[in-house]
Amino acid sequence: MSYIYRSRHARRILTAPRLPVAVASAVVALAAGLGAVAASNASVPSAPPAAAAEAVVPRESPSKADRAKRPTAAPTQSQSQSQSQSQAQTSAPAAPAAPAQLDLPYQFAWQENYYFCGPAATRIALTARNLFPSQSQVAQSLGTTESGTNSSQDTTRALNAYTGSNFYTAHFIRGQSASAADTAELKQRVVHAISQGYAVVANISGSTVDDAGNGHAYPGGHYLTIVGYSNNGDTVRIADPADALGVGSYTLGIQRMADWIALRGYAA
């Protein structure tokens, strides 16, 4: 005998009643329309104010490439001047050191009369600058008379006038003998002038002995020209337009040169 087994606990499955085809289609269409409207409202939120949007949305950090493309700010005037001065200080060449020894080329001439030592010494200095006035012309510029030429202020004025410059200034040693400071200044000014191509005109008085042991005496005063130096300025070369030995040139230590100028002056 056969039979179909049914579980005592089997659940009853309820099925919805079937609707007519036309009604079902209408229901489906209505549901689809309501879903589209809901989806549209969810995807289009209301736009926030512009200020709020800028506050909410953070800016992206620029990349290295973007930063490289951006123009840099122009330097200020003070920065430009500072940079220019720094570059100038870096690129400017240092002034060359004066040589240890230097003699200027010059044209020597004896003084034409006993009171023309000022014009003769000044003219010798001018020939080192390729200027060749006569001694009489220079005497007029100096205001020289039979009493001679007054002071180194006159030779300074004439030298600047002939050279068309203000290179020369007058310097004086006031004491009976030169101090260490006087000697150091004379040395520095002689080296500077000669290395720049300018001879020095000195007004001296009294007597001295040159490096060769020869004496030179001018008790009433005299003008002569320093046309060179050696030993870094410790020795000077002199062109003397009234040298009693008839040579006209000798060397002298800077200390003796300074003492010879004492109570007088020089144009350098």
Side-chain angles (χ1 to χ4, degrees), residues 51-130:
E54 292 179 357
V56 172
V57 180
R59 287 180 138 185
E60 293 182 359
S61 299
S63 64
K64 291 183 179 180
D66 292 335
R67 289 197 297 267
K69 293 178 182 178
R70 294 182 181 179
T72 56
T76 63
Q77 183 177 2
S78 60
Q79 289 174 336
S80 299
Q81 292 176 348
S82 177
Q83 292 173 357
S84 300
Q85 292 174 354
S86 177
Q87 293 174 355
Q89 292 174 356
T90 302
S91 60
Q101 176 176 343
L102 182 63
D103 291 320
L104 294 177
Y106 64 95
Q107 184 186 80
F108 180 82
W110 300 103
Q111 63 187 66
E112 295 177 355
N113 55 51
Y114 71 93
Y115 59 89
F116 260 24
C117 61
T122 301
R123 182 186 180 278
I124 290 172
L126 291 173
T127 64
R129 303 294 300 172
N130 291 317

Side-chain angles (χ1 to χ4, degrees), residues 7 65 162 241 267:
S7 172
Y162 273 103

